[in-house]
């Protein structure tokens, strides 16, 4: 079975916003936020990353989504976005999957992997980096874990 990667997340110059929306509006949220940002003359220089609760992700009803968009220059904070200079997560278990029906099973598989490897999740958080590849959305799923001294 495939070996998952351990990565560190480092993002700089972030336009940050949060929205409470139903799960099925997820892609609209991303596109909407990116469009709003471009209208200010700023462009994105990395994947948009969404933070949400692992336990509610994919469940019906509304959930809180925190949106991090890395930009080429620091933005002025406004009604829509706050500026965050830098954001780091030291260790995540990471894997990439298409943004489709495979997403939720893949998250379950990752949780199982974390358990099997004797690792420990850091809170109830998942970070989803949205990667448009050949016109299809892929998602890099990153689940923060408590740091271990050496990577697997």
């Amino acid at each position: 079975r495939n070996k998952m990667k351990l990565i560190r997340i480092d993002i700089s110059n972030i336009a940050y916003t949060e929205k409470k929306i139903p799960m099925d509006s997820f892609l609209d949220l991303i596109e909407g936020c990116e469009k709003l940002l471009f209208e200010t003359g700023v462009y994105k220089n990395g994947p948009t990353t969404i933070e949400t609760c692992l336990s509610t992700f994919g469940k019906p009803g509304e959930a809180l989504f925190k949106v991090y968009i890395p930009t080429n220059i620091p933005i002025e904070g406004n009604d829509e976005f706050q500026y965050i200079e830098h954001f780091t997560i030291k260790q995540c278990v990471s894997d990439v999957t298409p943004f489709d029906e495979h997403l939720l099973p893949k998250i379950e598989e990752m949780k199982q992997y974390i358990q099997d490897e004797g690792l420990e999740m850091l809170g109830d958080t998942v970070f989803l980096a949205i990667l448009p590849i050949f016109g299809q959305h892929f998602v890099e799923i990153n689940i923060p874990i408590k740091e271990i001294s050496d990577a697997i």
Side-chain angles (χ1 to χ4, degrees):
R1 111 188 140 132
N2 81 358
K3 216 162 165 49
M4 312 217 172
K5 290 188 304 201
L6 280 191
I7 66 161
R8 173 188 170 98
I9 295 179
D10 257 311
I11 317 174
S12 295
N13 284 345
I14 300 159
Y16 172 85
T17 186
E18 43 187 70
K19 302 263 189 258
K20 217 176 159 61
I21 57 155
M23 179 68 200
D24 52 16
S25 313
F26 186 78
L27 278 180
D28 299 340
L29 166 74
I30 296 158
E31 282 163 18
C33 287
E34 290 179 356
K35 213 165 113 202
L36 261 175
L37 188 65
F38 300 145
E39 285 165 6
T40 62
V42 170
Y43 66 86
K44 182 169 101 99
N45 65 354
T48 295
T49 295
I50 312 287
E51 174 186 354
T52 193
C53 289
L54 210 44
S55 54
T56 54
F57 186 70
K59 304 268 190 328
E62 295 204 325
L64 183 65
F65 294 96
K66 300 175 177 180
V67 184
Y68 300 83
I69 306 177
T71 60
N72 57 324
I73 49 172
I75 62 156
E76 298 286 322
N78 57 29
D79 296 346
E80 280 298 331
F81 296 102
Q82 283 165 264
Y83 173 65
I84 298 178
E85 192 176 346
H86 197 84
F87 179 78
T88 300
I89 299 169
K90 295 211 170 111
Q91 216 156 50
C92 293
V93 169
S94 181
D95 210 345
V96 175
T97 189
F99 190 92
D100 57 19
E101 68 279 3
H102 298 100
L103 182 56
L104 294 173
K106 173 60 78 180
I107 289 177
E108 288 312 309
E109 188 190 320
M110 290 173 74
K111 288 186 198 130
Q112 191 57 51
Y113 176 85
I114 289 170
Q115 211 177 328
D116 293 350
E117 292 289 334
L119 303 169
E120 211 178 323
M121 288 194 282
L122 199 60
D124 179 31
T125 312
V126 62
F127 289 86
L128 305 164
I130 311 302
L131 315 167
I133 304 172
F134 307 123
Q136 192 188 357
H137 285 97
F138 280 76
V139 186
E140 181 187 71
I141 307 163
N142 297 304
I143 301 178
I145 54 169
K146 293 196 173 148
E147 270 190 278
I148 49 172
S149 50
D150 52 336
I152 297 168

